[in-house]
Amino acid sequence: MAAKIIDGKEIARQVNEETARRVEALKAKGCTPGLAVVLIGDDPASQVYVNSKVKKCAELGIYSEKRVLPADATMEQVLALIAELNADSKIDGILVQSPPPKQIDEEKVIAAIAPEKDVDCFHERNVGRLLIGKKDGFQPCTPRGILVLLERSGIETSGRHAVVIGRSNIVGKPLAAMLMQKAKGANATVTVVHSATPDIAKYTRDADILIAAIGKPEFVRGDMIKPGAAVVDVGINRIPDPATGKNRLVGDVNFAEAVEVAGAITPVPGGVGPMTIAMLMSNAVTACERRRG
Ligand code: GUN
């Protein structure tokens, strides 16, 4: 039987509607939430992501500033911009699009962002708060979006085995930390597998909830999935399509195979992607509510 498709676009629309209402409430008190999106260089994919974040701000009534630095920008230039945005009272959230060019030390840039404006939850203070289960930091956008997708699709996490494929700082590590928290919408038994794990399928076949965030096109095949499992695909990969001669967007899961085995599955596109932006908007509004609401 084919899996239920988890509609990330629709769930993101609902979250965005809620966020827009929070923006209205803030505006009624004289505060407009503000997000600064910093792009260093001219990577085409990053440009697309940054533009879609700015566009979503406009849709929800959030003030935004797109700040672009050249591909050969120096650390001094980047740190000066972060200092300016930290001090700017119109700006509640600061996001520096990752990855930056090679000459930029991303860790140092993240460390320079004021933790109360760190809507990505990349700053070590917020990552630490997340790990120990404190609620006064932020939750990183993609992992938070995944938990909201599961919760709003009625997929229980408590006591179930969640297997995360991938250990990046943006997705795998924080998601594992969030899933294991003693909290509503979490409380899972978590396994993290990665590039050095022998026989990944041995673990994935035991997953009630399988999250693929490894960055390898169609890595998860149907026979790696437990029948009835919930499968969340974080991958965004462009691969050549011989049928059209163009590129085709695929996830980290072989959808055609997985949909026949899983109980529920997120599509690519239209699954995790829209949720990431929705949670960024929500975090920017949270930052404003805390600082100025
Ligand atoms: N690049 C890919 N995902 C993200 C994200 O969530 N935040 C930032 N800042 N850069 C990214």
Side-chain angles (χ1 to χ4, degrees):
M1 199 181 77
K4 172 190 159 182
I5 307 295
I6 299 173
D7 188 348
K9 259 171 130 169
E10 170 55 24
I11 297 173
R13 190 193 61 73
Q14 292 166 14
V15 171
N16 286 330
E17 216 172 77
E18 292 156 22
T19 303
R21 282 201 289 274
R22 290 164 61 201
V23 173
E24 276 173 30
L26 281 164
K27 284 185 173 172
K29 294 187 202 168
C31 307
T32 299
L35 177 68
V37 184
V38 178
L39 174 63
I40 313 164
D42 46 17
D43 175 66
S46 290
Q47 282 178 346
V48 171
Y49 294 137
V50 161
N51 289 340
S52 59
K53 288 164 187 172
V54 168
K55 185 165 163 240
K56 190 56 74 180
C57 281
E59 280 173 31
L60 302 188
I62 298 170
Y63 168 75
S64 73
E65 284 185 20
K66 175 178 160 185
R67 305 292 288 263
V68 182
L69 291 175
D72 62 355
T74 62
M75 271 305 282
E76 289 68 31
Q77 281 175 295
V78 178
L79 293 177
L81 176 57
I82 299 296
E84 179 197 328
L85 295 169
N86 280 343
D88 188 337
S89 62
K90 296 192 300 304
I91 298 299
D92 299 288
I94 302 170
L95 174 146
V96 180
Q97 187 64 31
S98 180
K102 286 191 186 61
Q103 78 278 14
I104 299 302
D105 182 340
E106 192 172 16
E107 258 183 46
K108 276 195 183 142
V109 174
I110 291 167
I113 297 173
E116 64 274 17
K117 296 192 178 188
D118 169 39
V119 285
D120 261 329
C121 190
F122 288 174
H123 192 288
E124 58 193 33
R125 216 157 95 192
N126 288 324
V127 176
R129 284 170 170 155
L130 184 81
L131 189 61
I132 61 177
K134 288 185 88 169
K135 301 275 189 288
D136 59 348
F138 292 98
Q139 297 210 324
C141 305
T142 300
R144 179 70 198 142
I146 292 167
L147 292 194
V148 172
L149 276 183
L150 294 174
E151 199 170 351
R152 296 198 182 192
S153 304
I155 294 164
E156 181 60 73
T157 50
S158 181
R160 301 185 80 207
H161 187 197
V163 174
V164 180
I165 313 176
R167 53 177 161 183
S168 69
N169 287 341
I170 294 187
V171 184
K173 280 185 203 164
L175 178 59
M178 290 159 75
L179 279 164
M180 76 169 77
Q181 295 298 321
K182 195 169 186 174
K184 190 171 162 284
N187 215 21
T189 302
V190 183
T191 300
V192 180
V193 298
H194 46 74
S195 52
T197 305
D199 196 3
I200 285 180
K202 182 171 92 180
Y203 302 93
T204 61
R205 281 194 203 107
D206 188 55
D208 301 309
I209 299 165
L210 179 60
I211 298 131
I214 196 172
K216 290 190 180 164
E218 303 184 317
F219 176 82
V220 175
R221 308 295 302 261
D223 64 1
M224 295 167 70
I225 300 168
K226 178 171 159 179
V231 176
V232 177
D233 190 348
V234 185
I236 304 176
N237 311 288
R238 285 175 179 81
I239 60 168
D241 183 358
T244 62
K246 293 184 183 162
N247 279 348
R248 185 164 68 92
L249 191 65
V250 297
D252 290 353
V253 176
N254 182 314
F255 186 86
E257 292 180 7
V259 77
E260 296 302 328
V261 186
I265 187 167
T266 63
V268 175
V272 174
M275 292 302 292
T276 297
I277 297 197
M279 300 331 300
L280 172 67
M281 299 297 118
S282 172
N283 278 354
V285 175
T286 298
C288 183
E289 287 166 345
R290 284 188 189 149
R291 285 192 337 117
R292 300 192 279 158

